[in-house]
Amino acid sequence: MPSLADLQGAFAAALRDPARRVPAAVVVGSEGPRARGFDVYRNNVAVSLTEALQAAFPVVQRLVGDDFFKAAAKAYVAQEPPRSPVLLLYGQGFGDFLDGFPPAQEVPYLSDVARLEWARLHAYHAADAPVLEISRLAEIPEAALGGLRFVLHPSLRLVRSRWPVVSIWAASSGQGNAEAVDMSVAQEAAVIRPALDVDLRLLPPGGYGFMEALMTGATLAEAAERASQQDTAFALAEHLQGLFQIGAVTALRQSGPDSSTRTDEP
Amino acid sequence: MANPSAIPPRAGVGLKPQHYEAVLEGRPDLGWFEVHAENYMGAGGPPHHYLTKIRGGYPLSLHGVGLSIGGAAPLDEAHLARLKALAERYEPGLVSEHLAWSSHGDVYYNDLLPLPYTEETLERVCDHLDRMQEVLGRQVLLENPSTYVTFAESSMSEIAFLTAVVQRSGCGLLLDVNNVLVSATNQGYAPEAYIDAFPLDAVGEIHLGGHARESDEEGNSLLIDAHDRAVDHQVWRLYARVLDRGGLRPTLIEWDNDLPAWETLYAEARAAEWIIGDHEVRAPAGSQFQPPETHAVAR
């Protein structure tokens, strides 16, 4: 008699590989629908995980159609099955997977759309945090502004694409005009959920570098310096305003990155 | 409300995001709601926002689908900690899981997979229930599975297995009447006999749901626990049989796929309430399951 662990190992292997025989310990009917009993489990696993990906990547599915999406999902599930019983964020690697999925090479922007959709999913389930108004900056002595660090919203993620990924997403989700998308344009975006709704914000030149620097703990002066290197016309005041306006700032810190002193709680 | 947490012996409904607004706007007359615990294990966002609001108006039951109680490997302590945090946050009246496994190695299969009913499985399941009840500090309910295969090495019936689990672990049971019909049809035994033999005193909750039917030309059926349609008339009949035996319990309508409008789901719950009311009139002194306040824990 096989141990429970051995039995489950054989069962699991047969679930993942339809070419593998059903473990000998499993009893199914010899004929009639009952003979398909084991296939119900195979089907449940495959269909439920495909559905999880369909729910997470509706625009990718719309761009390539059901059959293509299901084939991609099947290959992804085989390569990166879930490692946790919490499936809320399953599919984090789907964009990178599509980069190496040969049939997807004809749709070169597909993986960027997938990464954008996962950023939206992440924002949906991210921790909640109260958002600071820009007026709080007025409380900081002017001499201290350059050394200021920002605690940014837990839902915030940046997306960068050599394709017009935001326009493609908007056109394919019914929020924009597909014919008006200029495929020669690269786009950068911020995904954030300051309250209940997930926002997708197209970033002006320099915005990506500015926010990325702030997210990795740079001071305001350092972030502005890095953004200026990318965009010589970088206007700090406008970008600061944009940062607060999308609800990205949750706290300000006046001291070094290791200090836990939050000088400005909401 | 005397005890806002306790689940009354009325009908409840499995709560889905598509129905958040209808529930909050309509405040339907319902006994309670149930959610799949894993759907609320995100850090924040709309799921918690809406569940908090709805919990403010209704008792809640937490139904886990991913702990892999029947897994050969030790329980996933990180997952158990998430479940504990969720229970502390929402103070559910009932917490339940499944007689099944769903993880092996480091892969989660997202299905409730079947178990051989052996002494080894019994030990493993009871060890895991002991740990779960210890961490949560309360009794949990274990649900009878829907099955599509059996195991040659099973040495006891599912009923004998569940009865032994209750005796050894002190857990309660969740009787899924649709699962009874699905398994009985697929394994070729009488669902009525299963209902009649089920240890009703240990049952703290009942599930009713819809199934799909596949048949061959000889009329042999394979039922699939799809939760994608209304409760079948055979399941309603079996439910009445449970109530005839004195099994008046909190009763959930489960509808997880191909979701209908809220009104359709609510009508199913009203149907369950009607049957409950009918039996209350006829058998007011029926035995009542009383979940202990806390599970006795050996320190």
Side-chain angles (χ1 to χ4, degrees), chain A residues 9-251:
Chain A
F11 199 105
L15 279 180
R16 292 181 65 177
D17 181 1
R20 224 178 249 259
R21 294 184 58 168
V22 175
V26 172
V27 180
V28 295
S30 55
E31 55 186 32
R34 270 182 228 158
R36 300 201 301 271
F38 193 82
D39 290 336
V40 175
Y41 294 108
R42 276 182 173 141
N43 190 59
N44 283 351
V45 173
V47 169
S48 69
L49 293 176
T50 299
E51 285 175 352
L53 293 171
Q54 286 172 320
F57 301 97
V59 171
V60 170
Q61 188 178 6
R62 225 163 290 146
L63 286 169
V64 296
D66 286 7
D67 292 345
F68 186 110
F69 188 89
K70 281 179 183 166
K74 186 180 175 189
Y76 176 70
V77 167
Q79 187 175 311
E80 288 184 40
R83 309 287 171 182
S84 162
V86 185
L87 290 179
L88 300 176
L89 297 178
Y90 181 53
Q92 179 166 18
F94 192 51
D96 292 351
F97 163 82
L98 289 173
D99 277 332
F101 185 57
Q105 302 316 302
E106 287 176 29
V107 196
Y109 48 82
L110 197 63
S111 57
D112 285 349
V113 175
R115 280 182 281 267
L116 187 157
E117 289 205 283
W118 192 85
R120 291 182 60 90
L121 188 68
H122 166 269
Y124 186 83
H125 290 294
D128 302 298
V131 167
L132 284 195
E133 299 289 330
I134 195 167
S135 57
R136 304 297 288 269
L137 274 186
E139 298 161 18
I140 310 291
E142 205 173 328
L145 276 175
L148 206 58
R149 293 175 208 274
F150 293 73
V151 179
L152 299 180
H153 199 279
S155 67
L156 177 66
R157 286 184 86 89
L158 303 180
V159 175
R160 163 178 265 175
S161 175
R162 65 190 182 89
W163 301 97
V165 67
V166 174
S167 304
I168 293 169
W169 181 88
S172 303
S173 58
Q175 297 177 30
N177 184 351
E179 283 156 23
V181 176
D182 177 358
M183 293 303 284
S184 69
V185 173
Q187 286 182 339
E188 295 167 342
V191 176
I192 190 167
R193 185 184 53 76
L196 276 184
D197 296 324
V198 177
D199 288 336
L200 173 60
R201 306 285 187 148
L202 190 60
L203 293 175
Y208 187 99
F210 177 59
M211 290 173 75
E212 186 185 43
L214 291 177
M215 286 171 88
T216 51
T219 64
L220 185 55
E222 290 163 351
E225 170 63 25
R226 253 181 264 175
S228 302
Q229 286 165 9
Q230 291 175 11
D231 175 36
T232 48
F234 181 79
L236 177 59
E238 282 168 31
H239 281 266
L240 255 185
Q241 193 143 25
L243 190 71
F244 279 91
Q245 193 249 325
I246 67 171
V249 183
T250 63

Side-chain angles (χ1 to χ4, degrees), chain A residues 1 4-5 8-9 12 16 25 27-28 32-34 36-37 41 44-45 48 82-85 87-88 124-126 128 193 196, chain B residues 38 42-46 66 70 72 101 104 106-111 114-116 120 148-153 186 214 216 220:
Chain A
M1 191 161 92
L4 188 61
Q8 291 181 348
R16 292 181 65 177
V27 180
V28 295
R34 270 182 228 158
R36 300 201 301 271
Y41 294 108
N44 283 351
V45 173
S48 69
R83 309 287 171 182
S84 162
L87 290 179
L88 300 176
Y124 186 83
H125 290 294
D128 302 298
R193 185 184 53 76
L196 276 184
Chain B
E38 283 72 10
W101 61 286
H104 185 78
D106 62 348
V107 172
Y108 173 63
Y109 288 90
N110 198 34
D111 194 26
L115 287 163
E120 187 197 359
Y148 310 98
V149 300
T150 55
F151 294 90
E153 58 193 310
N186 294 346
E214 292 185 8
D216 63 15
N220 298 308

